[in-house]
Amino acid sequence: MIRGVIVMNDRGKPRLVKFYEFQPAEKQQELIRSIYRVLCSRAENVSNFVKVDSLFGPDVRLVYKTYATLYFVFIFDSSENELAMLDLMQVFVEALDKCFSNVCEIDVVFNFNKVHTILDEFILGGQVLETNSSEVVKTVEEISKFFLPPQLCVCLISFRYSYGYDLLFYAGSRGLQIQSWAVHQFLAGSGDSIFIALVTSFITILC
Amino acid sequence: MDQLKMIGRELAMGSQGGFGQSKEFLDLIKSIGETRSKAEEDRIVLREIETLKTRLGNPNTPKFKLKEYLVRLLYVEMLGHDASFGYIYAVKMTHDENLLFKRTGYLAVTLFLNEDHDLIILIVNTIQKDLRSDNYLVVCAALNAACRLINEETIPAVLPQVVELLGHHKEAVRKKAVMALYRFHQRAPGSVSHLVSNFRKRLCDNDPGVMGATLCPLFDLITIDVNSYKDLVISFVNILKQVAERRLPRSYDYRHMPAPFIQIKLLKILGLLGNGDKKASEHMYTIVGDIMRKFDSTSNIGNAVLYECICCVSSIHPNPKLLETAADAISKFLKSDSHNLRYLGIDALGRLTKINPEIAEQHQLAVIDCLEDLDDTLKRKTFELLYKMTKSSNVEVIVNCMVDYMININDNHFKTEIASRCVELAEQFAPSNQWFIQTMNKVFEHAGDLVNAKVAHNLMRLIAEGFGEDDNIVDSQLRSSAVESYTRIIGEPILPSAFLQVICWVLGEYGTADGKYSASYISGKLCDVAEALSTDEIVKAYAVTALGKIYSFEIAAGRKVNLLPECESLIEELLASHSTDLQQRAYELRALIGLDAHVVANLMPMDASCEDIEIDKGLSFLDGYIQQAIENGAQPYVSESERLGMSNISNFKSQEQHEFLTHSLRFEAYELPKPSMTPQVPPVLASPTELFPVSVPYYHTEVNYSTTPVPSISSAGSSELQLRLDGVQKKWGHPSYFSPTSSTLNSDAAKIQNGSTKPDSVGSANSEARHVSYDSRKPQVEISPEKQKLAASLFGGASKSDRRQSSSSQKVPKNNSHAAYKSHVEKTATSDTGAQKTSQPPSDLLDLGETTGTSILPSLDPFKQLEGVLDQTQDPTSLNTGGFSGTDAPDIMSLYVDTSLRDQGNSTANLLSTVNDSSSLLSGFSDATNRTGHGGNTVAQLTQKLSEGPNHKDSLEKDATVRQMGVTPSGQNPNLFKDLLG
């Protein structure tokens, strides 16, 4: 089973920490520090695997990989395959990339509840649940729909037209579809009255 | 409008995704990112915590703000600060109707709380409600939380709903329900044991994703109990076959591999099921072979599948053909530039060498390369491999490598591991005493305090006993070489305590035994040790006892003893020591020196540390005295049990046994505490004057007594360290727990084996090791560079290859690429060592050669015949030796498959019909345990299907029939999977 997933930057700051067996906060910090120490001491162009039985108990290993400034670390035991874990990590990063279009460290930090949502689609209770990044992106978008109902999109567009705020990136990767739909709606409607209605709904949804 | 504007601006500045965070959060992250010190960061975070506290507590905070604060709280806790004040808000948020807030709430509680937290009880109700929700996303969120938060007590509250969800129409929900059930099973197997059959049912789910998810719990269940899942072997093989034949929807492909993650899981399961089970393994051979042949070496995941195949092959009942393919795959791994693949190659090699030790020899150079690699992980893995393949012929090289490596690393955990492995190997395979002692010295010097204390005691015992042979000369040589090396080492400034203990003990016991060193020289050294380590009482105790031994040997030999001045002062100092143990030892030492030679010789016999102490438990030597007393009118002794009327327990011996057997309630008083220092401290010498009442029996001539300085809880040692409790123990205690003084029983004399008597197995292993001769290893110094030398000594490869050459003179020399090195060595070896070869007895060579030649493929006669046929049609010079080459393999395999197919040609027609009309065969399987009668039939049908093999014509036909039935093979069709399985 997978014991934990950690994303941290190259200075040892945790960006995403998820242990599938509960670890108290102090223990978590200690583990993160020790893992960071291990990763720092690794030379370049060596294997992506490290045995961490001294930290986690017998036969536990970790797979790590650096993407730009971030270390992605999967910790798991002998019931998983090292190379497959490496690929799962790749899939995870792909999914992040699709969700944030060109993911970077700030995306991971700033949207870390979304990153958690993505991770939860891949791994549940320490077991791999899904291995297809587009499936995961689809599900996450479906969840995001609740975060961003179509009316809200329209409101955002209205804002853009009326006030010059570009709020479209809220819509994420679904933005374009909704945009065309919303623009249609907006232009078909009779200006102010619809706009006021939309703004009202915007406020109700947000608050 | 102004308010709107403000909200809009705030939103615009912050987020990029769809999860809306504010500028404040961005600022927080930025400022933390820019901090230069930990203190600065802490200040910022503490300020943030204060802000969050006030804002979260404010009842007027709008929900979307609340959500953001929670996220910020999570962030703060991730940085290692306490955020427990906010947990309750997270719990509150899970109650929200809006999915957005609900999810955030669930995320926060799953990260904040452990499953035994008090707040969990507040969430259970919400989870229960959400599991019943119409919105499947809400259900998913609740299942996520349930996986993490539901503990043993609350499982019953949600279990019915989770089970219901196993049949949910959305596959995402089913998947998660399976996982949740599995988590419950992990957490409290008892509470869901009646639902385990659900996993079997879900295995034939219409959706391959759900099926794949089910493999995780099944893997664990099978790990725990293989036998109750043997009936699923054929189902698993079938699923794997379908996956490998790309019958799954395209969306499961990854890097052009059909569902590789599912394949890996299945191979793992098959490996478990086939382990040591020939019948089950036979089902797997074809499909595993197929996968290995078709694998794609360019992608990472392809190699992962291949590696898993190797693991599977090495785990199931060995099949020569597959093993050979696996060996080829390993050589590909090892030749790769990627460290990852080489790591896997080494790992796989370790697995295969268990079955066939010869395989490692083909890859000696690659292994050596890995040993010298910069990558620590790879190195460790390689050491693991070397540890597995250590034999008496290569133990020296391997252990030396390990010791060298051990000296250079800092990681204590790994150092300990390597040190104990070195000790283990050295004990098991040591070629000579000299070498053994030297190796142990090195290990102890560098990792003395890390290795288990038992190891030190083992070493002492080994030196005392020798290697279990009766050859006294060899033993004394061992001892004197040990003494010699220790007198040299003892001068080193810093030595680990455990090592000093060994040194002191050995010097005390054998320092003067061979007469090479004088007593004053050794005792001087011992005094130095005791003085240098003023804080280490254990070492001091060892040293004082050793001094006592040295002097008593001197006295017993009739020589005049002159205490060295430093020894005098040491004793003086210890007489006033705070440690009672040291004090007692010092007094004893004093008393010992004052005794006459005869008494001392009895007290401290030479080299008797390993002799058994015979204790006359029945105190038969008192019989005469008792007889006399009774004759004089004394009352005969009535045993305690008789006095108490406990007729069923006739004597104490049986009472003791009784107690050992039935761990029932004990009504007698508490046991005496064992003296805490006994495991580490050698027992104190019995000194007649001080301990007179306790040590009576030892003095009696009929008791064969010898001291046991080996630290172990021997009866003598423990009795002496105890308080005198004779009187007390007669009332409550167990007489037999105590020193023999108090045992006034009339049971038979029992022989108490000293704690230091050797276990037989070790002794015999050692004696085996000592039979090993050096002959098998021949140095190839002049012809090979450094590396090849190492390889040769590690694997015995060079010497082996020339043997092989001589025995197989009729064979064509190997010329496939991975044997290039070997053939080179062979040639040079034949030219250089030709003279040597002829001088050796020919029968020996032939024997060895034959074993090497045939043991690779022990049971391949039919294939060999086929090869013969094939060989004749080809140009003989281009052939590889034997049938080991990868190029021939598929042909032969396909031939084999063809013939088997022809035999079963009749059955295929029937099979097609079964495909059409059987609605769900696999579900029949999963129930097979319940309906054994039907099970038999289905198994038979499916075995036939299995043997179809990769026949494309058949599968096309089947496909066609399926299409005729109006079913198109796609993921959307719910019946597809059933059909495929059926």
Side-chain angles (χ1 to χ4, degrees):
Chain A
M1 103 176 234
I2 298 172
R3 300 289 180 90
V5 175
I6 297 174
V7 179
M8 58 173 124
N9 73 359
D10 48 10
R11 283 161 50 201
K13 279 259 171 306
R15 292 314 186 193
L16 172 98
V17 180
K18 181 129 192 161
F19 286 104
Y20 291 96
E21 298 286 346
F22 183 81
Q23 308 274 2
E26 310 85 64
K27 175 89 175 149
Q28 276 191 19
Q29 293 305 312
E30 194 194 312
L31 289 174
I32 292 166
R33 273 196 299 274
S34 351
I35 288 174
Y36 179 64
R37 261 201 304 278
V38 171
L39 296 191
C40 279
S41 64
R42 305 272 302 162
E44 272 181 47
N45 298 326
V46 293
S47 67
N48 297 82
F49 316 132
V50 183
K51 232 180 138 188
V52 283
D53 43 359
S54 53
L55 300 176
F56 289 91
D59 222 17
V60 178
R61 310 145 229 198
L62 65 78
V63 162
Y64 72 97
K65 198 164 180 189
T66 13
Y67 291 92
T69 55
L70 290 176
Y71 282 117
F72 281 72
V73 181
F74 279 34
I75 304 148
F76 55 92
D77 61 21
S78 59
S79 65
E80 307 288 340
N81 177 315
E82 283 100 333
L83 273 187
M85 281 295 117
L86 202 58
D87 263 282
L88 185 68
M89 190 183 291
Q90 178 68 33
V91 179
F92 177 49
V93 175
E94 270 170 28
L96 289 181
D97 212 45
K98 280 179 193 161
C99 284
F100 296 110
S101 53
N102 241 335
V103 65
C104 64
E105 188 178 340
I106 195 76
D107 289 325
V108 175
V109 194
F110 205 64
N111 297 292
F112 92 141
N113 50 344
K114 187 168 182 176
V115 178
H116 268 290
T117 311
I118 296 167
L119 183 61
D120 282 346
E121 288 303 312
F122 279 113
I123 304 169
L124 182 58
Q127 299 292 341
V128 183
L129 199 62
E130 176 62 65
T131 49
N132 187 335
S133 63
S134 20
E135 285 292 320
V136 170
V137 172
K138 232 189 271 170
T139 324
V140 172
E141 271 174 12
E142 204 141 338
I143 296 166
S144 306
K145 241 190 346 197
F146 281 80
F147 285 58
L148 193 77
Q151 305 100 301
L152 194 59
C153 276
V154 180
C155 298
L156 299 176
I157 295 163
S158 326
F159 268 120
R160 186 179 173 188
Y161 277 74
S162 321
Y163 302 97
Y165 292 132
D166 191 2
L167 303 180
L168 250 193
F169 44 77
Y170 272 110
S173 48
R174 285 172 61 86
L176 283 177
Q177 303 163 20
I178 301 170
Q179 187 185 21
S180 60
W181 174 81
V183 168
H184 231 84
Q185 293 283 315
F186 182 61
L187 295 179
S190 56
D192 268 353
S193 63
I194 281 202
F195 179 68
I196 299 296
L198 291 177
V199 167
T200 329
S201 62
F202 175 63
I203 294 163
T204 30
I205 294 157
L206 268 187
C207 307
Chain B
M1 263 318 167
D2 273 353
Q3 197 193 352
L4 263 181
K5 241 186 195 173
M6 194 198 71
I7 293 170
R9 190 182 298 126
E10 204 168 71
L11 286 170
M13 299 179 92
S15 161
Q16 305 190 22
F19 286 54
Q21 267 87 26
S22 74
K23 184 168 181 305
E24 275 180 3
F25 187 30
L26 189 66
D27 287 344
L28 173 72
I29 292 163
K30 269 190 184 156
S31 59
I32 289 177
E34 284 158 6
T35 51
R36 289 277 159 266
S37 70
K38 181 87 179 110
E40 201 178 332
E41 182 195 311
D42 285 350
R43 247 196 329 276
I44 294 172
V45 173
L46 286 177
R47 206 185 318 135
E48 172 72 10
I49 287 178
E50 281 311 310
T51 324
L52 289 176
K53 244 183 208 166
T54 46
R55 299 232 181 129
L56 280 169
N58 183 357
N60 297 325
T61 316
K63 269 187 195 159
F64 76 99
K65 276 284 180 194
L66 215 54
K67 187 202 73 159
E68 190 209 304
Y69 294 147
L70 266 186
V71 173
R72 273 152 73 174
L73 204 61
L74 282 173
Y75 183 71
V76 164
E77 189 165 272
M78 188 168 72
L79 291 177
H81 296 266
D82 179 47
S84 52
F85 68 90
Y87 292 176
I88 189 68
Y89 301 105
V91 173
K92 247 195 229 163
M93 189 151 269
T94 59
H95 304 331
D96 201 282
E97 290 300 314
N98 187 322
L99 178 72
L100 157 72
F101 300 134
K102 194 182 268 302
R103 279 199 74 101
T104 312
Y106 274 138
L107 172 67
V109 287
T110 49
L111 289 177
F112 282 146
L113 308 180
N114 73 351
E115 65 260 18
D116 295 322
H117 200 279
D118 296 336
L119 291 174
I120 296 292
I121 207 75
L122 297 174
I123 305 169
V124 174
N125 197 24
T126 322
I127 292 180
Q128 244 176 340
K129 206 176 78 220
D130 289 344
L131 286 176
R132 274 190 232 108
S133 165
D134 294 335
N135 186 341
Y136 85 99
L137 289 172
V138 174
V139 178
C140 283
L143 281 173
N144 267 353
C147 274
R148 183 73 185 73
L149 295 175
I150 296 296
N151 58 19
E152 191 169 357
E153 283 166 35
T154 41
I155 284 175
V158 293
L159 195 56
Q161 275 130 37
V162 171
V163 173
E164 210 174 290
L165 288 175
L166 287 173
H168 197 272
H169 62 94
K170 273 274 185 189
E171 69 274 355
V173 177
R174 290 203 299 269
K175 250 195 289 194
K176 287 189 170 159
V178 167
M179 282 302 173
L181 194 60
Y182 168 53
R183 272 306 261 194
F184 296 163
H185 184 266
Q186 269 186 330
R187 199 150 283 158
S191 59
V192 290
S193 53
H194 57 292
L195 296 167
V196 166
S197 62
N198 276 304
F199 294 132
R200 285 163 173 266
K201 261 184 230 153
R202 283 299 121 206
L203 191 61
C204 33
D205 196 281
N206 295 325
D207 183 70
V210 182
M211 185 273 296
T214 319
L215 296 178
C216 300
L218 281 174
F219 174 77
D220 266 26
L221 290 170
I222 291 170
T223 316
I224 297 162
D225 176 18
V226 181
N227 286 329
S228 48
Y229 292 89
K230 291 279 186 196
D231 57 316
L232 286 179
V233 170
I234 293 162
S235 318
F236 285 131
V237 168
N238 264 312
I239 297 172
L240 182 58
K241 194 150 88 183
Q242 290 170 49
V243 172
E245 285 170 6
R246 295 180 181 277
R247 307 279 194 87
L248 292 189
R250 275 275 156 184
S251 63
Y252 286 89
D253 282 11
Y254 175 72
R255 304 263 190 278
H256 310 297
M257 288 277 292
F261 293 95
I262 292 178
Q263 284 193 40
I264 287 169
K265 211 79 218 176
L266 280 167
L267 283 167
K268 274 195 186 291
I269 290 175
L270 289 183
L272 284 179
L273 285 171
N275 190 3
D277 184 343
K278 189 157 184 258
K279 216 168 122 251
S281 304
E282 273 164 2
H283 294 301
M284 306 168 191
Y285 291 151
T286 329
I287 181 63
V288 177
D290 278 1
I291 295 177
M292 282 171 98
R293 218 174 309 128
K294 279 193 291 197
F295 96 106
D296 163 29
S297 65
T298 52
S299 72
N300 201 16
I301 195 73
N303 287 316
V305 173
L306 183 62
Y307 165 72
E308 212 49 64
C309 284
I310 300 172
C311 294
C312 180
V313 166
S314 62
S315 163
I316 62 179
H317 187 85
N319 172 312
K321 190 94 202 143
L322 286 179
L323 285 177
E324 187 198 319
T325 326
D328 285 350
I330 287 177
S331 72
K332 269 186 212 130
F333 279 156
L334 287 174
K335 266 183 240 144
S336 152
D337 288 334
S338 153
H339 280 81
N340 289 350
L341 293 187
R342 275 158 69 190
Y343 171 88
L344 292 187
I346 293 281
D347 184 79
L349 198 57
R351 287 166 193 270
L352 273 201
T353 41
K354 270 186 222 151
I355 301 168
N356 185 359
E358 316 265 321
I359 290 173
E361 281 164 29
Q362 298 166 11
H363 306 295
Q364 26 188 308
L365 275 191
V367 173
I368 300 294
D369 273 344
C370 292
L371 208 56
E372 286 166 5
D373 200 276
L374 287 173
D375 186 354
D376 227 29
T377 316
L378 192 55
K379 248 188 205 172
R380 287 180 192 191
K381 202 78 200 170
T382 316
F383 275 115
E384 238 164 72
L385 170 69
L386 290 183
Y387 169 73
K388 277 181 204 156
M389 50 178 263
T390 306
K391 292 175 292 207
S392 42
S393 59
N394 56 16
V395 64
E396 282 180 79
V397 191
I398 288 180
V399 172
N400 284 347
C401 275
M402 284 170 125
V403 170
D404 286 345
Y405 180 61
M406 183 192 78
I407 294 170
N408 292 324
I409 54 173
N410 297 319
D411 178 356
N412 271 355
H413 178 83
F414 193 54
K415 214 172 186 171
T416 316
E417 192 184 297
I418 287 234
S420 37
R421 281 186 172 174
C422 283
V423 173
E424 193 185 320
L425 290 180
E427 277 182 15
Q428 222 174 347
F429 298 110
S432 73
N433 300 333
Q434 202 86 25
W435 179 85
F436 177 76
I437 297 282
Q438 274 168 7
T439 310
M440 293 312 254
N441 287 354
K442 261 195 233 162
V443 172
F444 271 96
E445 216 172 308
H446 294 101
D449 288 331
L450 297 173
V451 294
N452 194 337
K454 239 171 97 184
V455 174
H457 298 162
N458 268 348
L459 176 58
M460 291 186 223
R461 197 198 64 222
L462 224 65
I463 292 173
E465 285 178 351
F467 281 92
E469 281 178 12
D470 293 330
D471 193 349
N472 279 326
I473 304 161
V474 180
D475 285 354
S476 59
Q477 271 172 0
L478 167 73
R479 287 165 196 158
S480 46
S481 71
V483 169
E484 197 175 326
S485 64
Y486 289 158
T487 47
R488 213 173 40 244
I489 288 170
I490 206 169
E492 307 240 338
I494 299 164
L495 287 173
S497 169
F499 191 32
L500 279 173
Q501 291 165 27
V502 176
I503 291 178
C504 286
W505 187 84
V506 171
L507 287 186
E509 198 76 13
Y510 302 110
T512 53
D514 60 352
K516 205 167 158 191
Y517 299 101
S518 70
S520 60
Y521 177 76
I522 298 284
S523 55
K525 291 264 178 197
L526 287 169
C527 287
D528 288 347
V529 170
E531 268 158 31
L533 285 137
S534 51
T535 50
D536 194 336
E537 287 186 359
I538 299 171
V539 174
K540 260 190 185 173
Y542 268 93
V544 174
T545 310
L547 278 175
K549 275 187 238 168
I550 298 267
Y551 286 125
S552 52
F553 294 156
E554 285 295 295
I555 295 167
R559 282 189 284 269
K560 180 88 182 69
V561 174
N562 294 318
L563 278 188
L564 292 175
E566 61 253 45
C567 188
E568 285 278 15
S569 62
L570 178 71
I571 294 172
E572 284 302 322
E573 184 199 323
L574 292 185
L575 284 176
S577 168
H578 286 297
S579 155
T580 45
D581 176 55
L582 284 179
Q583 226 176 8
Q584 186 174 5
R585 280 166 204 272
Y587 274 111
E588 281 168 3
L589 175 55
R590 254 259 174 104
L592 203 61
I593 292 166
L595 292 172
D596 70 72
H598 178 66
V599 177
V600 172
N602 270 337
L603 262 179
M604 279 286 181
M606 271 295 266
D607 188 19
S609 59
C610 291
E611 252 138 64
D612 299 337
I613 299 176
E614 281 185 40
I615 293 166
D616 188 355
K617 251 181 136 185
L619 304 182
S620 54
F621 54 89
L622 287 174
D623 284 350
Y625 173 78
I626 293 169
Q627 202 61 38
Q628 209 181 349
I630 292 175
E631 275 166 16
N632 290 344
Q635 284 280 321
Y637 176 72
V638 183
S639 73
E640 195 181 355
S641 56
E642 282 171 50
R643 264 177 285 155
L644 296 171
M646 294 163 73
S647 53
N648 56 337
I649 299 166
S650 55
N651 59 24
F652 282 110
K653 202 178 173 192
S654 68
Q655 186 183 353
E656 192 181 21
Q657 281 170 351
H658 177 72
E659 189 193 305
F660 266 123
L661 290 174
T662 71
H663 290 271
S664 58
L665 274 180
R666 292 173 49 169
F667 295 102
E668 65 275 279
Y670 297 123
E671 252 177 81
L672 287 171
K674 292 201 177 98
S676 59
M677 62 257 285
T678 31
Q680 292 162 338
V681 181
V684 192
L685 301 179
S687 161
T689 46
E690 264 112 38
L691 292 169
F692 182 76
V694 181
S695 45
V696 171
Y698 305 138
Y699 261 77
H700 211 277
T701 44
E702 280 176 53
V703 180
N704 186 2
Y705 165 67
S706 63
T707 43
T708 57
V710 177
S712 57
I713 315 175
S714 67
S715 59
S718 56
S719 70
E720 279 158 0
L721 287 168
Q722 279 159 2
L723 293 172
R724 281 189 51 210
L725 289 166
D726 308 31
V728 182
Q729 153 244 335
K730 260 176 203 154
K731 276 180 186 149
W732 303 312
H734 252 293
S736 46
Y737 280 174
F738 292 100
S739 60
T741 5
S742 52
S743 58
T744 47
L745 324 171
N746 47 6
S747 61
D748 294 332
K751 195 195 228 177
I752 294 185
Q753 289 251 317
N754 189 319
S756 66
T757 46
K758 47 155 196 188
D760 279 348
S761 58
V762 177
S764 58
N766 288 331
S767 64
E768 271 174 35
R770 280 168 45 112
H771 284 302
V772 168
S773 63
Y774 288 94
D775 299 352
S776 58
R777 284 177 301 111
K778 261 184 233 106
Q780 296 279 327
V781 192
E782 40 326 303
I783 46 161
S784 332
E786 196 69 2
K787 228 185 235 177
Q788 287 185 357
K789 199 170 75 188
L790 184 55
S793 51
L794 268 181
F795 298 89
S799 58
K800 184 148 262 167
S801 59
D802 69 6
R803 265 185 256 130
R804 190 175 293 168
Q805 175 80 3
S806 62
S807 69
S808 59
S809 52
Q810 77 277 22
K811 282 184 188 167
V812 191
K814 288 185 185 180
N815 50 8
N816 51 1
S817 58
H818 72 264
Y821 157 67
K822 190 166 277 179
S823 62
H824 167 72
V825 176
E826 275 172 33
K827 276 170 203 153
T828 46
T830 28
S831 57
D832 275 8
T833 58
Q836 283 181 17
K837 254 187 335 185
T838 45
S839 68
Q840 285 175 353
S843 60
D844 235 32
L845 281 172
L846 268 175
D847 281 348
L848 284 164
E850 261 163 26
T851 49
T852 52
T854 52
S855 62
I856 301 172
L857 282 177
S859 58
L860 250 193
D861 285 346
F863 289 117
K864 276 207 172 133
Q865 285 171 1
L866 277 174
E867 276 157 28
V869 177
L870 284 168
D871 283 358
Q872 282 167 5
T873 61
Q874 291 173 19
D875 185 13
T877 49
S878 68
L879 278 179
N880 297 325
T881 45
F884 316 128
S885 70
T887 49
D888 289 354
D891 294 342
I892 300 161
M893 198 64 191
S894 60
L895 266 178
Y896 178 67
V897 169
D898 278 354
T899 48
S900 65
L901 270 177
R902 244 171 270 135
D903 292 342
Q904 288 170 341
N906 311 338
S907 63
T908 42
N910 301 338
L911 276 169
L912 281 174
S913 60
T914 53
V915 169
N916 294 338
D917 57 24
S918 71
S919 60
S920 159
L921 256 185
L922 196 66
S923 62
F925 265 119
S926 56
D927 292 338
T929 38
N930 307 335
R931 317 182 268 123
T932 37
H934 291 278
N937 289 333
T938 27
V939 170
Q941 285 170 344
L942 270 170
T943 19
Q944 285 175 335
K945 281 192 67 200
L946 169 74
S947 55
E948 273 177 50
N951 192 323
H952 295 296
K953 204 177 146 201
D954 275 1
S955 56
L956 277 176
E957 268 177 15
K958 204 192 278 177
D959 223 329
T961 11
V962 172
R963 275 171 209 279
Q964 278 172 10
M965 300 285 291
V967 187
T968 45
S970 77
Q972 275 70 44
N973 193 329
N975 284 325
L976 172 71
F977 219 66
K978 271 185 198 163
D979 280 342
L980 290 179
L981 291 169

